[in-house]
Amino acid sequence: MKKLLALILSVAMLAAMAVTLTSCSGGDDAVQVGIVLPTKDEPRWLQDEASFKDALDSAGFTSEVLFSQGKSDVELSNVEALLEKDIKVLVICAQDATAAGAAVNKAKAAGVDVVCYDRLITGTDSVDYYVTFNSFAVGVAQGQYLIDAYKDQTGVPLYIYSGAVTDNNAFIFFAGAWSVLNKAVADGQFVVQNCPAIKDYAGKALDPDADHDTLSTILGTITTDWDFSKAKSLAEANLVAANASAKGDVAILAPNDGTARAIADAFSADSAVSSYVITGQDAEMASLKYIQDGKQSMTVWKDTATLAKTTCDLVSSILGGNTPDTSTTYNNQAKDVPSAECAVTVVDKDKLAELISAGSFDQAKIDAAK
Ligand code: BGC
């Protein structure tokens, strides 16, 4: 019995030593790529998680995905936990563009390469690369859709909403949309109903970098914080404040799918709104269903499989000791960050039917969406 106990104990000790050795030496179960995503509560980021698993697993890299659940302190502890696992590359989609600086500074100090994913972290030179969709093109597509939908009309009430001001992308999306809408407002096609701060900018485009402070003030008055319930209450408050002439057939710039559905619900509940055209982005299943049901007009599809694959190629190059291919740079207020940019696709009801036939989306998944 004693011999058996001694044997069990020594096997256990050996096993413990092996675990310690593996994690110290970055051996077989070490995590090579640590991924930190903003939240599990928006379908968009679950799509990214799944796409990452596919791309990194098939490339043969070990990886771990952690979610920050909307909190910068959780994001920081996620990064610390991944550094403990001896990661070589950190892929991070920041919760808050500025606050995330502390997390990536730690990663950089630990000798880890830092890749910003989808959202750029600002004000620090600890960022090595940025992989993103063309966010300005997303905004342009949203603005242009509204313009085309109300072609040759004047005085159409326009309601505008933005993403979170802590997200650098929110500035780029809005600046993209405003780059086309500003002319339509100056020409009288649209009358903005819910944003006095934009009045001075009819006929004037705004630059996401050079006009950052102005945009910050404007977005501050129309922000949804990327939060569905905040989006809905803001839209409801705007409708309460609007008189009948500001209703009828309206145009709505909604920044993404989740907020678009919430805002659309508020507008469809108002009997003085006879019809609305509303934008979105992300091609979330629930929004594809809204598009088929005529409750959302369009979305901008940002194929997360493409973004994850592009990130994976970049990571592969870093791990192979090479300099990744990048096509452009984004300034993060501390440096020009070498960036890889992916294209986006506009999806309305007709385009969606085409994409379903082509196998890009599955009708059963759209039907099952909540
Ligand atoms: C992303 C969008 C997303 C939004 C809210 C943005 O940074 O680019 O795709 O809808 O955050 O999570």
Side-chain angles (χ1 to χ4, degrees), residues 12 36 42 84 132-133 163 184 218 224 228 234 245 281 293 302 312 347 353 358:
V36 180
E42 289 173 40
E84 288 286 310
T132 182
F133 289 105
I218 295 168
T224 61
F228 312 157
L234 182 59
S245 65
Q281 77 166 297
D293 292 346
K302 309 198 302 186
C312 186
V347 180

Side-chain angles (χ1 to χ4, degrees), residues 97 120 122 130 164-173 212 330 333:
L120 185 60
T122 53
Y130 180 33
V165 288
T166 50
D167 178 359
N168 191 57
N169 285 347
F171 290 75
I172 310 178
F173 298 142
H212 197 269
Y330 275 72
Q333 292 149 34

Side-chain angles (χ1 to χ4, degrees), residues 37 39-50 67 228 256-259 261 282-287 304 369-370:
L37 296 175
T39 177
K40 274 187 174 181
D41 298 339
E42 289 173 40
R44 154 80 217 257
W45 305 113
L46 297 174
Q47 289 175 9
D48 292 79
E49 180 192 28
F67 287 90
F228 312 157
N256 76 345
D257 282 351
T259 57
R261 296 193 300 278
D282 291 336
E284 289 181 359
M285 292 301 138
S287 276
T304 54
K370 296 215 178 58

Side-chain angles (χ1 to χ4, degrees), residues 328-367:
T328 184
T329 60
Y330 275 72
N331 189 279
N332 80 337
Q333 292 149 34
K335 67 187 274 197
D336 285 330
V337 184
S339 305
E341 203 175 60
C342 302
V344 298
T345 309
V346 177
V347 180
D348 61 3
K349 204 172 185 171
D350 292 343
K351 181 71 183 177
L352 179 55
E354 261 175 49
L355 290 168
I356 292 170
S357 307
S360 305
F361 293 110
D362 176 3
Q363 185 62 54
K365 283 195 185 147
I366 299 175
D367 292 340

Side-chain angles (χ1 to χ4, degrees), residues 240-315:
V240 167
N243 58 30
S245 65
K247 295 186 182 174
D249 300 322
V250 306
I252 310 165
L253 176 73
N256 76 345
D257 282 351
T259 57
R261 296 193 300 278
I263 296 167
D265 290 349
F267 275 78
S268 41
D270 189 319
S271 57
V273 173
S274 10
S275 76
Y276 61 83
V277 175
I278 189 167
T279 60
Q281 77 166 297
D282 291 336
E284 289 181 359
M285 292 301 138
S287 276
L288 298 184
K289 194 171 181 184
Y290 261 49
I291 290 175
Q292 288 185 328
D293 292 346
K295 298 199 284 188
Q296 183 176 325
S297 318
M298 62 88 82
T299 186
V300 183
W301 180 29
K302 309 198 302 186
D303 188 356
T304 54
T306 308
L307 200 64
K309 172 76 174 60
T310 306
T311 309
C312 186
D313 291 346
L314 196 125
V315 165

Side-chain angles (χ1 to χ4, degrees), residues 35-102:
I35 300 160
V36 180
L37 296 175
T39 177
K40 274 187 174 181
D41 298 339
E42 289 173 40
R44 154 80 217 257
W45 305 113
L46 297 174
Q47 289 175 9
D48 292 79
E49 180 192 28
S51 299
F52 262 123
K53 286 203 167 123
D54 286 352
L56 289 165
D57 286 359
S58 54
F61 296 127
T62 50
S63 64
E64 186 169 331
V65 180
L66 297 175
F67 287 90
S68 312
Q69 293 311 99
K71 297 194 181 78
S72 294
D73 57 337
V74 176
E75 182 176 77
L76 179 61
S77 48
N78 281 342
V79 170
E80 287 166 346
L82 291 166
L83 292 177
E84 288 286 310
K85 296 189 176 181
D86 207 18
I87 56 166
K88 301 288 174 271
V89 181
L90 172 69
V91 175
I92 176 166
C93 182
Q95 178 50 43
D96 176 316
T98 323

